[in-house]
Every structure is written in C-alpha cells, then in structure tokens.
Amino acid sequence: MKIVLDGMGGDNAPQAVISGAVEALKEFKDIILYITGAEDKITEELSKYDYDKDRIKVINTTEVIGTNEHPVMALRRKKDSSLAVALNLVKNKECDAIISAGSTGAFLAGCTLIVGRIKGIDRPALGPIMPGKNGPFMVIDSGANVDCKPEYLVQFGKMGKVYCETILKQPNPKVGLINIGAEEEKGDELTKAAYKLLKESEPNFSGNVEPRDVTLGDVPVLVCDGFVGNTVLKMYEGVASTLFSVIGNEIKSTKRGLLGGLLLKPSFGNIKKKFNYKEYGGAPFLGVDGICVKAHGSSDAKAFKSAIRQTYIIKQNDTIEKIKKEIEEFQG
Amino acid sequence: MKIVLDGMGGDNAPQAVISGAVEALKEFKDIILYITGAEDKITEELSKYDYDKDRIKVINTTEVIGTNEHPVMALRRKKDSSLAVALNLVKNKECDAIISAGSTGAFLAGCTLIVGRIKGIDRPALGPIMPGKNGPFMVIDSGANVDCKPEYLVQFGKMGKVYCETILKQPNPKVGLINIGAEEEKGDELTKAAYKLLKESEPNFSGNVEPRDVTLGDVPVLVCDGFVGNTVLKMYEGVASTLFSVIGNEIKSTKRGLLGGLLLKPSFGNIKKKFNYKEYGGAPFLGVDGICVKAHGSSDAKAFKSAIRQTYIIKQNDTIEKIKKEIEEFQG
C-alpha cells in the first residue's frame, strides 16, 4: 500500500510528518510512504533517522499552500505545491491514499477538483471520530460544508454509517440528527427538512439527538450542517479544556487539594488518554473517490502515526468501495 | 415592585414556585408577588409556610399550557391559562415583571403577542448568563429564534451589551460573534453577513469568537443564531456532565482514587457551585417591552428565588428603558 504525505502541511511540518512516518514504517510492514515538499528540508530531517530507504520516497515540490489562502485560487495557482502534487498522485493511482495536516479548505477543494467525488455525493464531508462516555461517536459534517441542504445530511448519514461499521466495527450503527429539541417538529428549516428525509430513507435513523447528549456516545453517527458540527467539536474541546484548567486551579489552591490531586494523578492521566484526539488519528473526507485523510493542524509525530494507521485500516477494509456501494443502492 | 409568577410553569410547579417565592419575600422587602394558577393547589401549598399574607396574591386560573403544545395556538385557545393571565397583568401594568418556567415557545409567543416588542427589535431573544473560566458571559440568542437574519444578530448585540452593563456591571463590554473561524471571511452566509453589519454598526464589536473559546468568558456578549446558541449551551451542559461522570467513575475504580476523591471533595464542591446555572437565575427575553424572565424548566425553589432576585435587579437598573434608548439611538 502506498500513502502520500503532504510534507509541508500542518503547524509542525515537516518534522512531525517525518518522525510519524518513520514510526509508522515499523508498525506496518507493507506500506510505502511518499512525502511531498522541499526535498532539502525533508532529506535533512530524514537523515536523523534510521529507516528502510526503499520505503520512503521524497518528491520535491517548490510551493506551499498556507491556511489563509483562498483554497480554490491557491490550488489553481500553485500547481507545484506539496498538496497539489500529492493529490495528483492519488488521482493517477500512483498512491492509494493521501494525508495532509495543511489547510482544510484547500485540501477539501483539491479532493473535489483533483481526485473527484463519488457519484451521488454532492459534498464530501469530514467525520472525525470522538471519544464519548459510553463509546466513540462521529460528527459528520464537522466543518467542511456550511449552508448545507437537507439531502446532504442524508448522504452524510449513509457515509458515516458505512465508515462506522468498517472502522469502529459497530454493525448497523444508529444514525442521529443533531437538533435543539427531541421532537420531530423542533429545529430550524434545515433540520426539520432533514428529519423528514432521514425518516423516509435511512433505516438506521433514530431521531434527533440534543447537543446535551452528543458526548454520551449512545448514537455513534451524528449528522448535521458543518457549522453546527464544528461548533459541537470545538465546544467539546473548549469546555473540556476550561474544566480541566478550573479543576487544576482549584486543586492548587489548598494543601489538601494538592495532596488529593497527587493521588488522582493516574486517574486524570487515564481520562486525558481516553479523551485524546491524537489516539484517533485524522478524519477522512468521506465522499471523495479516494482515501483522503485530514490530520489536525497541530498534529505531532504521534498524531501523524495514528493518521497513517487509520488510513491503513480504511484501505484494508475497502471502506471507499463500501461507501460507493451504499450510495449506489440508495440511489437505486 | 410587583412580580407575577406563572404558578403552573415548570417541572416542579407549583411547589418550587411557591417555596422560592416565600424565600424571596424574606430577601426583598419591597416586592409583592402575584401567583397565577389553580387556587386550591397554590393555597394548600402556601399554607405550609409562614409569610406575610399581604405580599402574595393568588390569582385563580383554570388552564395550563403544556410544553408540547403549539405555542401560538395554545395561547389563543387557553385565555385562562396561568401564563396568559400573568402576561396580561404585565401588559396592563398591574405587574412590573413576569417569571415563568413553562413552555419557552408559548412564553416567547406570549411576550410578543400580549406584552409587545420594543420598537426596532425584530425578534426578542434569550440571553442567559453563564459562568466562564475568566468571568461570566452571555449567549444571545440561545434558542428563541432559529433561521435568524443578520440584522437580528446586530440587535441581539445591542441588547446584550446593555444587559451586561447593567446586570454584570461590566462597562463597555466586548461583543463577539460566535463563528467557526477567527477570520472575517470565515463562516456560513449568516455569520459572514452579520460580521459586516456588526463591524459597521457596533463600536464594541471585537470580531469572531470560536466555540473553543466561548467558555473562557473573555468576551462577555456573544451573539449568534438561536440554533447555534442553544447548541453551545447544551454542549456546555453535556460535556461538563460527561466529564464529571467520567472523573467520578475513574476515582471510584481504585482505592487510591477514592482517597484522592475524598480529599478533593471540597474542591469539586466549589467548582460545581461556580458552574451551577441555578445561581444565575433565569434569562430575560430581551427585546420585549416589559420584564419577562424565563426560568429553567427544571428550576427548583433556589432557582426560582434566583430568578426573582434577577428580575428585581433588572427592574432596579431600569434595564428595559436603557435597552429602548440604545435601540432608539442605533436607529437614529
């Protein structure tokens, strides 16, 4: 299996990309990694490691797309960017998959413009898997598409379901609609219309899920507009960070607290591990006719390795083919 | 000052309403409370307490509006409901304010249809005050209005600013727009258009606030569509509940954890107190030409007392008059 890594994407590129790549080679014996980017920098970084030189190929590119550039314009202008060159390797079937921690917008635009969409999918979507109280869950779309139409949400549900089945090994997962009320008639125009469509066309649809219940993880596939999904994910991150910080300050404020905190150090360690997104790797753009995995912009080596592991599992499970089949059957 | 309480609204009515009312009489010597609802039940409940009989007036009503009824239809049909009668007392200036923990939809509809809107306000909005890491903040609108137009968000900002100044005593508070990116061009159609309007017309506008940063409390007035605001509030509630539950389970899983947990009991108590919405009372429907305070549906006696305290403060500070002035000046 051949995976191309955008060597210049993300806050810690290329160091973290390369360190994660070298680690992944040890775990997965049948992968070959391509890395696009400034050859001199990448080669210099690689020289720090001992690895099988036949399994990492560096492809020199001269341009980089920044996170603040207009996605489509940047892609069109920077043909020799690390991202565009990597995407073309997937398009031309030279590589089976791409991973990038760079600009989400440019990556998404490139997936659609260069690699192409699956027939029957209007908008590829991001569906990261998150840790929940009773189990993992995915929020799809979590930020790739705003101002969605109701039918997009049905497509998100179909793709999420297949992804959840193949990656989380949860047979027949429930599909829920994130909404600000439990009853069918609650919500805004989008969720009311999406509710009706999902009820008609998704056998696994289990109704509305209020944001209060999202993190329980009782409904593994949660569909919504990307603005809402992004809000859900970022609130999860923000509230957790605020609470841990408040707990930390409270603990430090008394001697009794300090002793209690010391005793609970392993417990907090377990919780932080359980709720660490880095363990879950990246999130694929589902709906693209290829394996395109978005890694978090702040990914470190461990996160890149996890993203490679996840990409590997997506490929091993024929996930994209299964999504295509599901969408084909849905469209009849 | 005369405040009317919807005696039948909320999960714990009328017991919690009455218990909270009796407690409030002790704290605020210059208030008179009206309670609408089934006179026999209310009188029976009141007979359990020792209080100044001249300061609580019971007004018998024969109907109750349920939370699952169509708001406008229910209000029109049930003229003798505890809510409609209470709203009319405010409309006719017999009372200065109303508090209800009943159906949000019916209460909002009644505020608009019976009490009336402030000139220049298209949609009254809910703006509850929440505890944040560095200070309290309000999210307006937090669920009264979905599918908002950009100009509503500007009005929310003006009202929230005045409310924050008068209630939280924060002079010149920053007004932020909840959005899924920090940059001006980020977001969906609504937030992009609202950004432009806010930039032009709100001197306190400080730009986008990502959901990750909402709970920091660095920006005290946060405007958004009601679907987003409700998602933010319910995620806050849900994530906090999930985390505390996970921490609790982790603590209980080892002897060391149990001991640490015991030592940290006062610390967790402080945190729970700090993050307890009951301390903050209800949330007013801002934009109504009167003081209309929505208490949480699950309010207990303490929450009702807090809502009465907040209503009192709103009145003492001429909040509604100040909002009117702000909107008048804005419209020129």
Side-chain angles (χ1 to χ4, degrees), chain B residues 53-214:
Chain B
K53 308 261 173 316
D54 292 337
R55 294 176 63 205
I56 291 192
K57 293 187 199 304
V58 181
I59 295 174
N60 187 45
T61 58
T62 56
E63 293 171 303
V64 176
I65 296 177
T67 49
N68 285 326
E69 294 185 67
H70 186 281
V72 179
M73 301 277 275
L75 265 174
R76 293 221 167 115
R77 221 179 306 133
K78 296 185 171 172
K79 303 272 187 216
D80 198 41
S81 60
S82 57
L83 177 65
V85 171
L87 283 162
N88 274 299
L89 288 172
V90 177
K91 183 198 175 183
N92 302 332
K93 311 280 181 204
E94 289 175 67
C95 286
D96 302 289
I98 170 177
I99 299 170
S100 175
S103 155
T104 308
F107 192 12
L108 175 64
C111 287
T112 307
L113 295 172
I114 299 174
V115 183
R117 281 176 281 134
I118 289 173
K119 207 185 144 198
I121 294 296
D122 287 296
R123 295 278 187 284
L126 265 182
I129 292 171
M130 308 292 296
K133 188 180 159 195
N134 305 322
F137 64 93
M138 71 186 296
V139 175
I140 179 168
D141 176 51
S142 73
N145 308 281
V146 296
D147 300 313
C148 282
K149 292 182 180 166
E151 54 268 32
Y152 302 171
L153 271 61
V154 176
Q155 296 165 13
F156 297 167
K158 302 270 171 208
M159 299 194 290
K161 192 173 64 171
V162 175
Y163 187 71
C164 192
E165 275 175 342
T166 54
I167 302 301
L168 296 179
K169 307 289 177 203
Q170 293 200 13
N172 237 0
K174 283 188 203 166
V175 175
L177 173 66
I178 297 183
N179 204 347
I180 59 168
E183 303 85 6
E184 180 166 353
E185 67 280 4
K186 289 285 165 79
D188 56 8
E189 282 177 23
L190 173 66
T191 54
K192 281 185 216 171
Y195 191 104
K196 274 189 196 148
L197 288 182
L198 284 161
K199 200 172 148 189
E200 286 163 12
S201 60
E202 178 51 66
N204 291 18
F205 182 52
S206 65
N208 290 329
V209 175
E210 292 191 78
R212 186 190 288 122
D213 299 326
V214 159

Side-chain angles (χ1 to χ4, degrees), chain B residues 302-315:
Chain B
K302 191 176 176 186
F304 274 106
K305 190 189 165 189
S306 298
I308 294 170
R309 183 189 303 121
Q310 207 183 358
T311 306
Y312 186 84
I313 298 169
I314 293 171
K315 171 75 180 164

Side-chain angles (χ1 to χ4, degrees), chain A residues 25-85:
Chain A
L25 285 187
K26 295 179 197 159
E27 189 174 331
F28 304 102
K29 300 297 180 194
D30 56 345
I31 60 171
I32 291 175
L33 298 174
Y34 289 59
I35 304 176
T36 56
E39 192 170 13
D40 51 345
K41 282 189 194 160
I42 293 173
T43 313
E44 194 197 322
E45 195 60 31
L46 276 170
S47 70
K48 298 176 187 165
Y49 299 91
D50 183 26
Y51 65 97
D52 180 350
K53 309 262 174 315
D54 292 337
R55 294 176 63 204
I56 291 191
K57 294 187 199 303
V58 180
I59 296 175
N60 187 45
T61 58
T62 55
E63 293 170 303
V64 176
I65 295 178
T67 49
N68 285 327
E69 293 186 68
H70 186 282
V72 178
M73 302 275 275
L75 265 173
R76 292 220 169 114
R77 221 179 309 132
K78 296 184 170 173
K79 303 272 187 217
D80 198 40
S81 59
S82 57
L83 177 64
V85 171

Side-chain angles (χ1 to χ4, degrees), chain A residues 18-326:
Chain A
I18 287 157
S19 167
V22 172
E23 281 303 309
L25 285 187
K26 295 179 197 159
E27 189 174 331
F28 304 102
K29 300 297 180 194
D30 56 345
I31 60 171
I32 291 175
L33 298 174
Y34 289 59
I35 304 176
T36 56
E39 192 170 13
D40 51 345
K41 282 189 194 160
I42 293 173
T43 313
E44 194 197 322
E45 195 60 31
L46 276 170
S47 70
K48 298 176 187 165
Y49 299 91
D50 183 26
Y51 65 97
D52 180 350
K53 309 262 174 315
D54 292 337
R55 294 176 63 204
I56 291 191
K57 294 187 199 303
V58 180
I59 296 175
N60 187 45
T61 58
T62 55
E63 293 170 303
V64 176
I65 295 178
T67 49
N68 285 327
E69 293 186 68
H70 186 282
V72 178
M73 302 275 275
L75 265 173
R76 292 220 169 114
R77 221 179 309 132
K78 296 184 170 173
K79 303 272 187 217
D80 198 40
S81 59
S82 57
L83 177 64
V85 171
L87 282 163
N88 274 300
L89 288 173
V90 176
K91 183 197 173 184
N92 304 332
K93 312 279 180 203
E94 288 174 70
C95 285
D96 302 290
I98 170 176
I99 299 170
S100 174
S103 157
T104 307
F107 192 11
L108 175 63
C111 286
T112 305
L113 295 172
I114 300 174
V115 183
R117 281 176 282 134
I118 288 174
K119 206 186 146 199
I121 294 295
D122 288 296
R123 296 278 187 282
L126 265 182
I129 292 171
M130 309 291 294
K133 187 180 158 196
N134 304 323
F137 64 93
M138 71 186 296
V139 175
I140 178 168
D141 174 52
S142 73
N145 308 281
V146 295
D147 300 313
C148 282
K149 293 184 181 165
E151 54 268 30
Y152 301 172
L153 271 60
V154 176
Q155 295 164 14
F156 297 167
K158 303 268 169 212
M159 298 193 291
K161 194 173 63 170
V162 175
Y163 187 70
C164 191
E165 275 175 342
T166 53
I167 303 302
L168 297 178
K169 307 289 178 203
Q170 292 199 14
N172 236 3
K174 283 188 204 168
V175 175
L177 173 65
I178 298 183
N179 203 349
I180 60 167
E183 304 84 5
E184 179 165 357
E185 66 280 4
K186 290 285 166 78
D188 57 8
E189 281 177 24
L190 172 66
T191 55
K192 281 185 216 171
Y195 191 103
K196 274 188 198 149
L197 288 182
L198 284 161
K199 201 172 145 187
E200 285 164 13
S201 60
E202 179 50 65
N204 291 18
F205 182 53
S206 65
N208 290 329
V209 174
E210 291 191 80
R212 186 188 287 124
D213 299 326
V214 159
T215 55
L216 293 178
D218 291 332
V219 180
V221 181
L222 295 166
V223 301
C224 57
D225 176 82
F227 193 101
V228 172
N230 201 266
T231 299
V232 164
L233 293 195
K234 287 183 179 162
M235 278 299 297
Y236 197 177
E237 210 176 314
V239 174
S241 154
T242 287
L243 282 181
F244 280 122
S245 150
V246 168
I247 291 170
N249 290 340
E250 193 65 45
I251 283 174
K252 280 181 216 134
S253 70
T254 62
K255 278 188 184 162
R256 176 178 169 157
L258 275 172
L259 183 58
L262 203 64
L263 287 167
L264 285 185
K265 219 171 169 180
S267 305
F268 284 122
N270 287 342
I271 293 166
K272 282 199 175 152
K273 202 180 163 199
K274 186 174 172 184
F275 286 91
N276 187 356
Y277 74 90
K278 284 172 193 158
E279 303 280 334
Y280 283 81
F285 283 114
L286 296 177
V288 180
D289 194 5
I291 304 173
C292 301
V293 173
K294 172 75 182 84
H296 200 291
S298 65
S299 290
D300 58 11
K302 191 177 175 186
F304 274 107
K305 191 189 165 192
S306 296
I308 294 170
R309 182 189 303 122
Q310 207 183 359
T311 307
Y312 186 83
I313 296 170
I314 293 171
K315 171 76 180 165
Q316 292 299 310
N317 286 282
D318 287 328
T319 313
I320 308 298
E321 295 310 312
K322 285 177 187 157
I323 289 176
K324 277 187 186 175
K325 205 172 148 242
E326 172 81 19

Side-chain angles (χ1 to χ4, degrees), chain B residues 8-16 67 101-102 296-299 304:
Chain B
M8 311 305 277
D11 305 339
N12 309 311
Q15 292 79 3
T67 49
H296 200 290
S298 66
S299 291
F304 274 106

